[in-house]
């Protein structure tokens, strides 16, 4: 294993247990880290994203799971984060499959099982330095790409995210322009967010369209339509960051207003067909306004593939759930209650 220099690395330890804080700090100190801030709760670390630039974050996921996951998502996605590409390692005593999935979906790099040893930490840091996953940017996620299967539709480009842990540990920090590196990465993320949000909005509307025309509208369709305004708010905020409002802003605001009005119609039990078609047209206009270089046919093909794939997964899940319920019912039917058995014995005896 290469001999890394951790003396310039800034670390943050967030853990509700003071003893675990002390152990982790000692482990990092043994590796040569001289700067490791400790926080006793996620709330204590709430301002860290905007006021500090840690290269490594060790985050306890057990004591405050929901808050910890929200912090990871904020670190990765909010514009006030000074280093959204920091290496984030969640720590836990019980790595259940559900917890692993939640940590991965939030945007963490890794999950470390307690109790930790210096060797474990050293190996994980080496992996983050030498073979960290590239970042993927979608409408609602920014972080290491963990998908093993191909995505529906167009392939999403990956970002070789700035790895300040690697740059400092390999003594390259003094030879790069960190500000420019971050600015270029942030610009890439913002551009990808605009593209992915526009496609996501079109996907949500196309998926909901069939269910919205039912009488009354289907609950799942209404729920998917209800997600549209929040995505558009994020898109509009990112337009402000890029300083490029123009036609995209106009279409996004019109689409948000129409989507909210359509949601109100759905809640009342009647969706006007012409209103629905207007919303679908605005969603297509938004995709074209965001990415004028790409053909509308290609965009709609991507949306259609995503809708088809999503419906297939929903059908598979429903079928699996029905089969599991059927199997459980069959199993229950074959179990003869003990009380009934005793009654039969008594009848034979008499």
């Amino acid at each position: 294993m290469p001999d890394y220099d951790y003396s310039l690395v800034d670390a943050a330890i967030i853990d509700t247990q003071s003893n675990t804080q002390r152990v982790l700090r000692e482990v990092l100190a043994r590796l040569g880290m001289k700067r490791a801030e400790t926080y006793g709760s996620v709330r204590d670390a709430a301002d860290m994203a905007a006021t500090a630039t840690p290269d490594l974050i060790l985050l306890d996921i057990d004591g405050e799971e929901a808050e910890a996951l929200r912090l990871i998502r904020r670190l990765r996605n909010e514009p006030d984060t000074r280093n959204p590409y920091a290496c984030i390692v969640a720590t836990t005593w019980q790595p259940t499959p559900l917890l692993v999935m939640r940590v991965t979906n939030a945007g963490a790099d890794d999950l470390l099982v307690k109790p930790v040893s210096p060797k474990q930490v050293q190996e994980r840091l080496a992996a983050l330095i030498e073979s960290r996953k590239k970042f993927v940017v979608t409408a609602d996620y920014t972080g290491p790409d963990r998908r093993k299967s191909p995505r529906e539709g167009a392939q999403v480009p990956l970002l070789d995210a700035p790895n300040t842990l690697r740059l400092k540990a390999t003594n390259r920090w003094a030879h790069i322009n960190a500000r420019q590196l971050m600015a270029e990465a942030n610009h890439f993320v913002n551009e990808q967010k605009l593209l992915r949000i526009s496609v996501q909005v079109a996907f949500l509307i196309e998926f909901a369209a069939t269910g919205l025309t039912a009488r009354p509208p289907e609950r799942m369709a209404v729920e998917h339509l209800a997600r549209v305004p929040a995505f558009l708010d994020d898109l509009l905020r990112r337009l402000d960051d890029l300083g490029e409002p123009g036609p995209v802003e106009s279409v996004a605001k019109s689409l948000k207003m129409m989507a909210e009005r359509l949601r109100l119609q759905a809640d009342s039990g009647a969706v006007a067909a012409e209103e629905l078609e207007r919303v679908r047209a605005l969603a297509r206009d938004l995709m074209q306004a965001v990415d004028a270089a790409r053909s509308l046919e290609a965009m709609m093909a991507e949306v259609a593939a995503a809708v088809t794939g999503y419906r297939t997964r929903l059908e598979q899940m429903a079928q699996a759930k029905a089969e599991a319920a059927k199997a459980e019912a069959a199993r229950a039917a074959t179990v003869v209650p003990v009380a009934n058995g005793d009654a039969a014995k008594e009848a034979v005896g008499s």
Side-chain angles (χ1 to χ4, degrees), residues 10 18 30 49 96 136 145-146 188 196-197 201 229 287 298 341:
D10 290 286
S18 57
R30 288 181 60 179
T96 64
V136 64
D145 185 17
R146 298 296 178 85
F188 174 90
R196 302 325 309 168
I197 288 173
V201 165
M287 287 193 296

Side-chain angles (χ1 to χ4, degrees), residues 95-304:
T96 64
L98 180 59
L99 181 64
V100 173
M101 180 187 71
R102 287 173 174 169
V103 169
T104 300
N105 290 340
D109 287 275
D110 205 348
L111 184 66
L112 189 61
V113 181
K114 301 173 185 177
V116 301
S117 68
K119 186 174 185 298
Q120 283 179 304
V121 175
Q122 186 177 21
E123 290 174 348
R124 297 303 175 89
L125 295 186
L128 289 172
I129 291 170
E130 297 298 334
S131 55
R132 188 188 192 189
K133 297 283 187 179
K134 290 187 177 183
F135 273 35
V136 64
V137 182
T138 69
D140 55 359
Y141 172 83
T142 302
D145 185 17
R146 298 296 178 85
R147 295 195 184 186
K148 297 180 181 179
S149 59
R151 302 170 184 271
E152 291 98 349
Q155 291 299 306
V156 179
L158 299 180
L159 169 67
D160 191 4
N163 188 344
T164 57
L165 172 65
R166 174 184 173 86
L167 292 171
K168 290 183 178 180
T170 56
N171 293 314
R172 294 172 53 198
W173 181 250
H175 306 291
I176 58 100
N177 186 332
R179 186 185 297 273
Q180 180 180 350
L181 198 65
M182 289 288 179
E184 291 174 353
N186 291 341
H187 185 76
F188 174 90
V189 169
N190 263 336
E191 285 192 331
Q192 287 300 308
K193 281 288 185 184
L194 296 180
L195 293 172
R196 302 325 309 168
I197 288 173
S198 68
V199 173
Q200 179 72 4
V201 165
F203 159 79
L204 290 170
I205 292 172
E206 288 299 318
F207 175 81
T210 302
L212 290 174
T213 58
R215 301 294 175 146
E218 297 176 3
R219 180 178 59 83
M220 182 177 289
V222 177
E223 290 174 349
H224 280 67
L225 177 65
R227 297 174 58 196
V228 169
F231 278 114
L232 292 174
D233 283 338
D234 189 23
L235 181 144
L236 290 167
R237 174 178 63 82
R238 292 179 182 279
L239 285 177
D240 291 338
D241 294 340
L242 290 174
E244 301 174 3
V248 178
E249 180 181 31
S250 176
V251 175
K253 288 182 176 179
S254 297
L255 180 53
K256 181 185 175 184
M257 180 183 66
M258 291 290 295
E260 290 173 339
R261 187 161 68 191
L262 203 65
R263 166 72 188 280
L264 292 175
Q265 291 180 7
D267 287 339
S268 66
V271 173
E274 60 275 13
E275 294 275 343
L276 176 58
E277 187 52 43
R278 174 61 176 156
V279 168
R280 297 173 74 180
L282 281 172
R284 294 191 290 268
D285 291 345
L286 180 64
M287 287 193 296
Q288 285 194 296
V290 169
D291 190 2
R294 191 176 175 203
S295 70
L296 179 60
E297 291 75 14
M299 294 176 182
M300 292 308 298
E302 179 181 352
V303 171

